[in-house]
Amino acid sequence: GQQVMQIPQYQHVQEGEDFTTYCNSSTTLSNIQWYKQRPGGHPVFLIQLVKSGEVKKQKRLTFQFGEAKKNSSLHITATQTTDVGTYFCAGNYGGSQGNLIFGKGTKLSVKP
Amino acid sequence: EAQVTQNPRYLITVTGKKLTVTCSQNMNHEYMSWYRQDPGLGLRQIYYSMNVEVTDKGDVPEGYKVSRKEKRNFPLILESPSPNQTSLYFCASSLIRFANTGELFFGEGSRLTVL
């Protein structure tokens, strides 16, 4: 079946450093979503990217969708301790909500 | 308050004892889904429902059943639980009336242990 590969699996950074997580698919995606899960919490929606080459920003977070709609990235500038958690991408194949496939997530830890 | 409510939040049970995890949403969402989360495996979809009386298998449906008799409820049934179903379960819902895909709203999670 379809797979969304997400790397790295873990990332440890010093507070103030930047962080990036990447998602890749072997086939074209209809769109991609990003979620954040705080330790002990549930996933919370961050954003959805639909257009080829799309770039969206939310404060210190920058989301990109590749030109071929096969890859995406989330970049956090100057991490803070509040950024701790696991970040998941979820790729959509076929344009239906039922075809959403989650990556395995990148667990971010931030050292103060 | 808009929310997805799951019950129970924590459960320890024994192999073979049927159990149901309830999920209810108050946002009038058409789409509902169940995921299980295991260390290193991320979120894997068990079943989903596009609307009332419409359900479909996800990636890991074996050992689970669902029903969608009402729009707000989407219970997950384990007819004969086994230890490999020990996991953290999330229910999620989404509004898809105006678009094919949208933001998933997740419940708080149900941690199930099968001995």
Side-chain angles (χ1 to χ4, degrees), chain A residues 2 9-10 31 33 35 37 40-45 48 86 88 92 94-105, chain B residues 9 31 35 37 40-45 48 50 59 88 90 93-96 100-109:
Chain A
Q2 306 287 4
Q9 190 173 358
Y10 301 95
N31 56 62
Q33 298 177 352
Y35 291 80
Q37 184 178 22
H42 58 277
V44 175
F45 177 83
Q48 176 170 282
T86 301
F88 293 97
N92 192 282
S96 166
Q97 192 77 327
N99 299 123
L100 204 63
I101 305 293
F102 279 81
K104 293 183 179 180
Chain B
R9 294 287 314 282
Y31 180 87
Y35 294 87
Q37 185 174 29
L41 297 179
L43 290 156
R44 295 181 293 167
Q45 190 176 60
Y48 65 95
M50 299 295 282
D59 297 317
L88 177 59
F90 287 103
S93 72
S94 177
L95 180 68
I96 57 170
N100 289 334
T101 61
E103 172 183 356
L104 278 172
F105 291 82
F106 282 84
E108 297 287 331

Side-chain angles (χ1 to χ4, degrees), chain A residues 55-58 60-64 73-77:
Chain A
V55 178
K56 286 189 176 180
K57 293 192 175 185
Q58 290 179 351
R60 295 178 294 104
L61 278 60
T62 302
F63 304 85
Q64 293 189 346
S73 65
L74 158 59
H75 179 83
I76 302 179
T77 303

Side-chain angles (χ1 to χ4, degrees), chain A residues 4-30:
Chain A
V4 175
M5 305 301 295
Q6 189 172 356
I7 56 169
Q9 190 173 358
Y10 301 95
Q11 186 80 55
H12 309 283
V13 300
Q14 192 77 32
E15 189 172 21
E17 292 181 341
D18 291 357
F19 159 77
T20 305
T21 174
Y22 302 89
C23 279
N24 293 288
S25 169
S26 58
T27 56
T28 303
L29 299 166
S30 300

Side-chain angles (χ1 to χ4, degrees), chain B residues 6-36:
Chain B
Q6 296 179 225
N7 279 296
R9 294 287 314 282
Y10 303 91
L11 180 65
I12 300 174
T13 189
V14 295
T15 299
K17 187 176 181 181
K18 180 180 178 180
L19 70 92
T20 299
V21 186
T22 63
C23 176
S24 180
Q25 50 92 7
N26 63 359
M27 296 170 279
N28 202 33
H29 286 172
E30 298 90 356
Y31 180 87
M32 296 186 75
S33 182
W34 277 102
Y35 294 87
R36 61 176 289 174

